[in-house]
Amino acid sequence: MSNKPVGMEVSVALSETIMHCDVDVIAAYPITPQTHIVEHLADLFADGEMDAEYIPVESEHSALSACMGSAAAGARTFTATAAQGLEYMHETLFIASAMRMPIVMAIANRALSAPISVWGDHSDVMAARDTGWISIFAENGQETVDLAIMSFRIAEDHKVLLPVFLNLDGFHLSHMIEPVLIPSREEVKAFLPEHIYPAPLHPSKPVAMGECAGPNIYTEAKKQQWEVLEKSIDIIRQVFADFGKQFGREYHLVEEYKVEGAKTLLLTMGSYSETAMTCVDKMRAQGKKVGLIRLRCFRPFPFDDLRKVVKNADTLIVLDRSLVMGGPGGPVMSEVRSALFGRKGMPKVSGIVGGLGGRDITVEDFEKIYDLGEKLANDQSREFAMYGVKE
């Protein structure tokens, strides 16, 4: 399978890749549009193709709780979820990161209710953005496969030991059939070292986990956790580089597309980025100086990488696929403005919120978003705009 691309559903390709990563424990509960991932893993387990423990639990909260137990014992651990499932895990998300448990979780990003929606946007992961997890976004099936492998190596690095969100857009990516090149088990093993957790739970060597902390040490504990997450960006960058050397596919914290000479840049995350690329091609052919940047890594936020990429642009338009209620539009836009605030030579930033609840954004829509974003950048009376609202 490693020599040529194979056409398959992205969720299935992800499951096959997780099998090749030699995971020890999978704890999962089904929820649309994540279900196909753990469903196929269950099939692989039932057919004897995986040497792992598969735990079918009664809820997402239980799924992550089981994952924390297995991770604490030193097992390579995987789970997956979406939308309300991720929010049901919410209280345990903080515990997994603070206790330095290298769990990898795939999120088939989906809109949060209400109204009830099974379709994709980024409101689920953005509601969990500050829980201390590393958060990485895939744009297509091949990236989903590659980033899954890299996620385990990042999470399990002894300088990191943090859980990872692997984000893939629900339906627009999770249910698409694409040509995907899946590295063999041998190739993955050459890249992904054996997982050796430094302080596992074991009867012969008792350790304390999750003990109580009073006001005299809580602040220091949180500062240490923040520093580990911030410094993990160097490990992520190195893992991306090492993957490129072995497999020939390059990844960066901030991805560029026709940025050179562009005076207006659009910033996106996830599968809609590829449609935006087509729009950039079209507008470039018309002589317009536009380009595209895509955030690969949202947590930790790549401040320096972003500043380097955008420094020559006049306008930066940020497309968010989630809405901050009572706030300045979208969460990504807020992060970007913070990153550029007060620094000389940085572009004006405008925010657009669109694609909520799985609504498509076409090439023609992206052309209008470029035009709208440029107008907003020069209109200080508006914090942001929602694109595509029906009158």
Side-chain angles (χ1 to χ4, degrees):
M1 295 179 70
S2 64
N3 296 324
K4 63 179 182 179
V6 177
M8 65 174 64
E9 185 183 299
V10 173
S11 291
V12 173
L14 174 57
S15 301
E16 295 279 339
T17 304
I18 297 303
M19 176 179 64
H20 289 180
C21 290
D22 285 332
V23 294
D24 299 307
V25 175
I26 301 161
Y29 189 82
I31 183 172
T32 302
Q34 167 270 142
T35 304
H36 288 187
I37 300 171
V38 296
E39 187 176 65
H40 188 63
L41 282 169
D43 288 340
L44 293 171
F45 173 78
D47 292 341
E49 296 186 49
M50 289 186 66
D51 181 16
E53 295 296 325
Y54 188 96
I55 309 172
V57 294
E58 68 275 14
S59 72
E60 290 87 359
H61 188 285
S62 299
L64 188 52
S65 296
C67 285
M68 288 195 295
S70 66
R76 178 169 287 163
T77 304
F78 176 81
T79 188
T81 192
Q84 258 61 34
L86 181 62
E87 307 321 319
Y88 194 17
M89 294 176 174
H90 199 77
E91 67 166 314
T92 47
L93 294 174
F94 292 92
I95 300 170
S97 59
M99 292 177 63
R100 309 287 297 277
M101 295 176 170
I103 301 161
V104 173
M105 180 192 302
I107 305 175
N109 300 117
R110 168 186 152 184
L112 293 178
S113 304
I116 295 172
S117 172
V118 299
W119 303 100
D121 66 24
H122 293 161
S123 57
D124 54 4
V125 70
M126 288 302 156
R129 62 179 176 163
D130 297 326
T131 55
W133 289 54
I134 293 169
S135 190
I136 300 172
F137 284 78
E139 297 173 10
N140 55 46
Q142 188 62 62
E143 291 183 359
T144 303
V145 164
D146 294 348
L147 289 169
I149 300 167
M150 287 186 273
S151 291
F152 283 108
R153 180 158 162 180
I154 292 165
E156 295 168 1
D157 189 291
H158 284 195
K159 293 181 180 179
V160 180
L161 292 177
L162 289 172
V164 176
F165 291 144
L166 171 57
N167 297 279
L168 60 151
D169 287 346
F171 288 110
H172 283 98
L173 184 50
S174 65
H175 284 56
M176 290 297 103
I177 296 176
E178 298 184 5
V180 179
L181 198 158
I182 301 178
S184 67
R185 191 186 299 271
E186 291 71 25
E187 289 171 320
V188 174
K189 188 174 183 179
F191 178 80
L192 184 60
E194 181 184 358
H195 175 40
I196 303 175
Y197 194 59
L201 288 174
H202 196 278
S204 65
K205 189 177 181 181
V207 296
M209 290 189 177
E211 60 271 19
C212 183
N216 59 321
I217 64 169
Y218 185 85
T219 297
E220 289 72 24
K222 286 291 129 179
K223 181 176 183 292
Q224 184 185 60
Q225 183 186 352
W226 181 88
E227 288 175 345
V228 169
L229 181 56
E230 182 188 37
K231 291 177 182 178
S232 71
I233 201 163
D234 295 327
I235 304 299
I236 297 169
R237 190 180 284 111
Q238 185 60 55
V239 170
F240 284 178
D242 291 346
F243 188 91
K245 290 177 183 178
Q246 179 171 334
F247 294 99
R249 295 187 290 277
E250 293 187 1
Y251 289 83
H252 304 277
L253 299 170
V254 179
E255 305 280 0
E256 304 176 33
Y257 188 73
K258 298 191 175 179
V259 168
E260 187 174 354
K263 294 303 178 183
T264 301
L265 295 174
L266 176 67
L267 185 150
T268 59
M269 294 195 310
S271 63
Y272 285 20
S273 300
E274 297 196 334
T275 306
M277 291 180 195
T278 304
C279 176
V280 169
D281 292 342
K282 180 179 179 181
M283 296 179 76
R284 281 275 188 167
Q286 297 169 351
K288 297 180 180 180
K289 297 180 179 181
V290 300
L292 175 70
I293 59 177
R294 299 106 65 202
L295 279 186
R296 169 79 61 216
C297 181
F298 183 70
R299 284 288 186 271
F301 194 86
F303 290 98
D304 291 338
D305 301 73
L306 177 68
R307 291 164 185 153
K308 290 176 184 178
V309 173
V310 305
K311 64 182 180 181
N312 295 321
D314 295 330
T315 304
L316 176 60
I317 305 162
V318 181
L319 175 66
D320 270 283
R321 294 187 58 206
S322 59
L323 178 64
V324 176
M325 294 299 172
V332 182
M333 184 269 290
S334 297
E335 298 281 341
V336 170
R337 277 187 176 166
S338 176
L340 305 185
F341 180 77
R343 294 179 176 266
K344 293 182 179 180
M346 293 293 112
K348 297 178 181 178
V349 179
S350 59
I352 307 291
V353 174
L356 300 183
R359 184 172 294 181
D360 287 331
I361 299 181
T362 65
V363 172
E364 291 72 25
D365 290 325
F366 272 116
E367 288 184 274
K368 295 175 183 177
I369 287 172
Y370 269 101
D371 292 338
L372 177 58
E374 289 183 326
K375 291 178 182 177
L376 281 177
N378 297 305
D379 182 2
Q380 299 300 312
S381 65
R382 301 174 67 186
E383 292 290 342
F384 76 103
M386 292 188 69
Y387 177 78
V389 179
K390 297 177 182 178
E391 300 295 339

